[in-house]
Amino acid sequence: MAKHIFVIGGVLSSLGKGIASSSIGLLMKKMGYKVVMQKFDPYLNVDPGTMSPFQHGEVFVTDDGAETDLDLGYYERFIGIPLDKNSNSTSGQIYDTILKKERRGDYLGKTVQVIPHVTDEIKSLIRKIAKDNDIVITEIGGTVGDIESLPFLEAIRQFRLDVGIENSLFIFLTYVPYIKAAGELKTKPTQHATTKLREIGIQPDILLCRSEKPFGDEIKSKIALFTNVQKSRVINAVDVSTIYELPKVLMKANIHERICEHFHLQQNRIDFSDWDRIIDNIKNPDKEVTIAVCGKYVKHQDAYKSVGAALIHAAAEHRLKLNVKWVDSEKTILEEDINKNLSEVDGILVPGGFGVRGIDGKIAIAKYARENNIPFFGICLGMQIAVIEFAQNVCGLKSTYSSEFEKDCEHPIIDLMDDQKYIEKMGGTMRLGAYPCVLKESSLGYKIYEEKEISERHRHRYEFNNKYREIIEKNGMKISGTSPDNLLVEIIEIPEHPFFIGVQFHPEFKSRPDKPHPIFREFIKKAAEMRKL
Ligand code: GLN
């Protein structure tokens, strides 16, 4: 039977529950256990894909096309295992399932209630993911004390009753603030948050106490006394300079020992050398590189979480200090602004996005990168922009656009291809999840991947319009990757340029610290080689 670890948060949000859960996942995986992870989000949205990146950050996409919370990105990056739609559920989805059952008459006229119907549904989602795994880590979104997360907490309380204490472990992440005026670390918020959790019937087994400054035995004893958690199970998760250090911090604090002891599992040796190398590379770079990320969500960098992570992985691989310059494409249209914002960067990345806002800036930025031989990497919308710019300024098709921005434009080089079987297959309007792509052998894409067929994740509605293939190829833009049936354009490049590539998919979702994505890796390498400063 699988062992279940539940990670709950207290005191305040943004303590890094996703990173803590992922770090624990990595340690368990490194001990040889088969790990799976899952997140419950307490909000009522049924489709996280429709939530604004301004408010909710990036939508992370899995191979099976689920649009999920960005914490799943951390899970995949840390444990290195692709997850699927079963790893993320919202309250909205859970209620939706229950209400559909109710409408179908499945409850046979019974009163439908939070307990047991909602809690049963939650428990069934936990059991479902446990199949064939040794360790299931379930993160409960939100903070103890929120009304929204109560059904989840009630469900996991019951879950322990169902599976027994030896198969379930509650880890509670809290905060121990340092109060400058008093010159002290304060344990009261942790005490109160734990009391709140115990009020609803959950006694934490392990406390993970985040703090800015490290603390020792005295504070641990105090927390232990007030929270009823053994002192050896009060663990200090002290702030780290890179998130990839957290697993090591937790390992040094022996969290894996406590977990194995609780579950009566064998504690196997952890080889941390690969991650040690990554941390060393991040913390002791030889040189630097500056990359401009140009988009409209730059003030809300959570919207580009995986892009940021993939850049870090790639820079670490080359022992480079990464400077990211977040460039607002809505304010970078005029030549003087472009010069001001981009003249000192070594590489330009235009990430994905939706809607017309900031588009003219992105087109101007792609033009600048193309004309000035600056390494360019366009992702999804970024690739579409590069194609539009090339068609307008090199092919002379002045009124070229995407029909997303101008419905009836004369040359919709990026357009809806609603007659294509791919979209029909998905049943929706977006192309979502993993699709194969075949690379042309003599291309930059092939040189980067060193493979003829690859698989990458998608999340977009619009496609390259095949009517324009000939004209752009004739003018020097190469289509170097397509779907196996050659119907969909997946990669474009400009062979004349030192490094100019655009991809219709989102490679950032598959980058891992120990395995940087090849396009990011080569893009950063080229940018560093061509560094001006
Ligand atoms: N808005 C574009 C489309 O729907 C690009 C989407 C994206 O960048 N993810 O095709």
Side-chain angles (χ1 to χ4, degrees), residues 352-355 379-381 384 404 459-462 504 506:
F354 290 83
I379 295 178
C380 208
L381 179 66
Q384 298 175 351
E404 179 179 11
R459 181 174 184 256
H460 56 99
R461 254 180 216 104
Y462 294 81
Q504 186 57 84
H506 287 275

Side-chain angles (χ1 to χ4, degrees), residues 34 195-196 199 224 228 238 274 299 306 368 416 419 453 466 469 480 508:
K34 200 162 171 230
T195 304
K196 194 92 203 142
E199 267 170 21
N228 210 25
V238 69
D274 51 348
K299 283 201 194 72
S306 296
Y368 178 82
L416 277 181
D419 56 349
E453 186 165 328
N466 289 329
R469 278 196 191 194
S480 57
E508 69 271 25

